[in-house]
Amino acid sequence: MDKGFGACNQSENGVMLLDYQEIGSDSVKRELGLVQQVYTQDVFLKGLFLGARLPEDLEGFRVFKDPINLDMRIQTPDYCYDEPEKWDFQHFTSILEWNEGDPSLYFRFYDNYDDVLAIQKEYKKILYGFADDFYEPIVNRIQKFRTNDQDDAMKKKYSLTSTNLEYIYADLIPNIVLDHFVRIVDIVIFGGLERSPICKRLLDCYRLGGMPGGWVGPLPEDGGTPEQCMELYHLGE
């Protein structure tokens, strides 16, 4: 029998995405398995802390290492539109929403609106359950890596305050990671990762132990690609 919302089994690594319900599509099951594999691996989010190892193969990513300005890169303020020449990065949230992160755009994958509704109904236990359940495992993972010694090292290396650290690790990162993985799961169910280069590259950031560090370069509509423009935030050496 299928589990209700919020009733998914959990391991020490978090929510088991494949346990919410029966999955009729082999491709959806395979890609959800890939997503689950990323957030249950030992290095998940470890690169957001000092002492981590930077992957030997960065897979074409440029690395961004500035914790105090991470929020500017991934929650870009709207006022950057007023004077874009002052900024070396683009509005990252809008790139996700306007391109492949907005559920309304999934309609383009189907012939009619009823097809979209049918997919929503078929996978509602994953779509709603995962969004409800995934925040706590993110917080737990961050708490696992965040120690007093880690905080002291971050303060010293990056001239951060306790308030800065609390904002970064208790507010900014958990909410951003949750938003990104909900988007990734949505695109897997509604279109597939191969039809979403942006979300596919987004998942690569987390697979490497870091997270996105913003979009530097032309907008997608101006020819900018995720491989060229999405940066990796990772503090490993």
Side-chain angles (χ1 to χ4, degrees):
M1 180 179 296
D2 290 343
K3 301 174 180 66
F5 297 163
C8 178
N9 291 331
Q10 296 194 26
S11 74
E12 63 178 354
N13 289 323
V15 174
M16 293 294 99
L17 184 55
L18 295 178
D19 288 352
Y20 279 100
Q21 63 176 81
E22 294 294 327
I23 301 171
S25 165
D26 289 341
S27 62
V28 170
K29 186 174 183 178
R30 178 180 58 82
E31 291 198 343
L32 289 179
L34 292 175
V35 175
Q36 180 176 288
Q37 185 177 2
V38 167
Y39 70 72
T40 56
Q41 65 179 343
D42 290 340
V43 299
F44 179 56
L45 303 184
K46 194 172 185 178
L48 310 185
F49 298 85
L50 295 176
R53 293 189 62 181
L54 197 65
E56 293 183 7
D57 183 2
L58 290 173
E59 302 178 13
F61 278 110
R62 296 186 302 269
V63 178
F64 178 69
K65 292 178 174 283
D66 184 1
I68 198 66
N69 286 314
L70 178 63
D71 60 339
M72 293 284 287
R73 288 293 199 93
I74 57 179
Q75 286 187 322
T76 327
D78 289 338
Y79 57 74
C80 76
Y81 286 128
D82 297 333
E83 298 176 296
E85 67 278 1
K86 290 187 176 182
W87 310 93
D88 64 350
F89 52 85
Q90 303 286 355
H91 196 290
F92 190 66
T93 301
S94 293
I95 288 173
L96 295 183
E97 290 177 348
W98 294 345
N99 286 273
E100 295 147 335
D102 185 347
S104 66
L105 296 182
Y106 301 150
F107 296 161
R108 73 185 181 204
F109 299 150
Y110 301 93
D111 294 333
N112 57 64
Y113 182 69
D114 289 340
D115 293 334
V116 177
L117 293 179
I119 294 292
Q120 288 176 330
K121 182 178 180 180
E122 180 179 359
Y123 290 106
K124 66 179 181 180
K125 292 186 178 180
I126 296 176
L127 292 169
Y128 291 100
F130 184 75
D132 288 342
D133 294 343
F134 194 52
Y135 184 81
E136 183 177 353
I138 297 168
V139 171
N140 291 341
R141 176 57 63 101
I142 291 171
Q143 290 175 342
K144 175 181 178 180
F145 296 130
R146 188 183 175 192
T147 64
N148 290 334
D149 288 344
Q150 178 70 217
D151 276 10
D152 290 342
M154 289 286 289
K155 289 177 184 178
K156 182 177 180 179
K157 182 165 185 175
Y158 295 107
S159 300
L160 302 174
T161 66
S162 296
T163 300
N164 294 149
L165 288 172
E166 195 64 17
Y167 167 66
I168 291 169
Y169 286 119
D171 185 11
L172 177 69
I173 290 176
N175 285 296
I176 289 296
V177 176
L178 174 63
D179 177 71
H180 289 173
F181 270 85
V182 168
R183 291 178 187 275
I184 291 167
V185 169
D186 282 355
I187 199 67
V188 166
I189 289 173
F190 283 99
L193 286 172
E194 291 302 324
R195 301 175 77 173
S196 177
I198 290 176
C199 280
K200 188 175 180 181
R201 193 67 165 165
L202 199 67
L203 186 62
D204 287 339
C205 292
Y206 290 103
R207 179 173 51 78
L208 293 175
M211 67 186 297
W215 186 282
V216 179
L219 291 167
E221 54 265 37
D222 296 326
T225 68
E227 290 75 19
Q228 295 170 334
C229 300
M230 191 181 296
E231 294 197 335
L232 172 69
Y233 175 73
H234 200 297
L235 301 182
E237 300 295 339

